[in-house]
Amino acid sequence: MPRLLFVHAHPDDETLTCGITMAHHVARGDEVHVLTCTLGEEGEVIPPGLAHLEGDPDDPLGPYRHGELGRALSRLGVTGHVLGADPGEGRLSRFRDSGMAGSAAAARPEAFAAADLDLLGTLVADVVRELQPDVVVTYDEHGGYRHPDHVQAHRATRRALQLLADPELPRRTYEILTPLGWAREDRAWLQAAETALLDTTSWWGEQELGTDSPAAPSLRVPATDDAFPPSVVDDDLVSHVVIDDAARAAKNDALRAHATQVIVASEDVHALSNLVAARTTAREGFRQVEPRTWQPTGRRGADLLD
């Protein structure tokens, strides 16, 4: 049975970027694993009834998001691992969410982005040796959108592959990218979307809102000239795509499990705490790279095992 390993920075990243691909490969009968590097303690909580989790010095948001991650992966049929976790010691994660560059969280000694790269590489390599995946997937060098933990997850994965012996390397390695043509299509679709698809009222009513809760938030549609993140690249730089309409329901179910971080307005639209609408499509893109040099292989395919 083919085995795939996805390396991500925080809970919800796996579903937002690779939910279609994971559900697709699970449906094929493949074994899918996710390695999460932190518990997302610096996440911005959306539902007012859970706002007490954010900014608490005891970090209750981390364990809560660990639970969200478990529910999301269960809905996708995926096995989860957390980097440096030690259940015997009651430790859910060894490293902490670093927040954005320059934040107080980034200066904490347990911040993932500040951790020694050889240590991180060794820990990720241990997971790869244990699982022996055929495929390893993580972010590009920009971490998708330049979040320090995403960039560090990329670096840690690259270092791990450098530390492995040749027989231990995965057969295929990928970075997550989005074709510019898709990004433009999705933005145009959002600008033309019916108001009902952007309405958060139904999702809002499902949350733990508490008393005197505010009205459901309104989503903002990106403007035509808003910048795309650096992981949106020219179409010809994307070597492999996964397109699976049947997987979209599983992705949406998993997104709903991440309720502190993600609004699922409809089957077609979701948003994060910035309330910027994003289209929930049935397609995801990747580029195959050499595991040691991270140079493109030039190969192309329809899914990660094609």
Side-chain angles (χ1 to χ4, degrees), residues 76-151:
L76 290 167
V78 172
T79 301
H81 313 263
V82 178
L83 190 65
D86 187 341
E89 296 291 328
R91 185 176 70 199
L92 297 179
S93 176
R94 180 166 179 172
F95 305 100
R96 191 181 184 279
D97 186 343
S98 310
M100 298 307 291
S103 68
R108 293 178 60 145
E110 69 272 39
F112 178 64
D116 179 78
L117 189 56
D118 283 335
L119 170 61
L120 295 179
T122 298
L123 292 172
V124 175
D126 287 345
V127 175
V128 175
R129 289 192 185 97
E130 176 186 354
L131 296 179
Q132 300 179 12
D134 301 283
V135 173
V136 169
V137 181
T138 193
Y139 313 108
D140 67 337
E141 63 181 316
H142 303 293
Y145 67 105
R146 299 192 178 95
H147 189 295
D149 287 338
H150 289 232
V151 173

Side-chain angles (χ1 to χ4, degrees), residues 5 21 24 36 39 45 51 56 71 91 108 122-123 125 146 151 162 175 184 203 224 266 284 293:
L5 173 64
T21 302
H24 169 83
T36 306
L39 300 184
V45 175
D56 188 311
R71 291 188 289 276
R91 185 176 70 199
R108 293 178 60 145
T122 298
L123 292 172
R146 299 192 178 95
V151 173
Q162 291 167 355
E175 59 183 4
R184 286 173 172 164
W203 178 89
T224 303
S266 65
E284 291 164 353
T293 66

Side-chain angles (χ1 to χ4, degrees), residues 6-10 13-14 17-18 34-38 139 153 176:
F6 295 78
V7 182
H8 284 283
H10 316 108
D13 292 328
E14 79 296 327
T17 62
C18 299
V34 167
L35 175 62
T36 306
C37 296
T38 80
Y139 313 108
I176 305 163

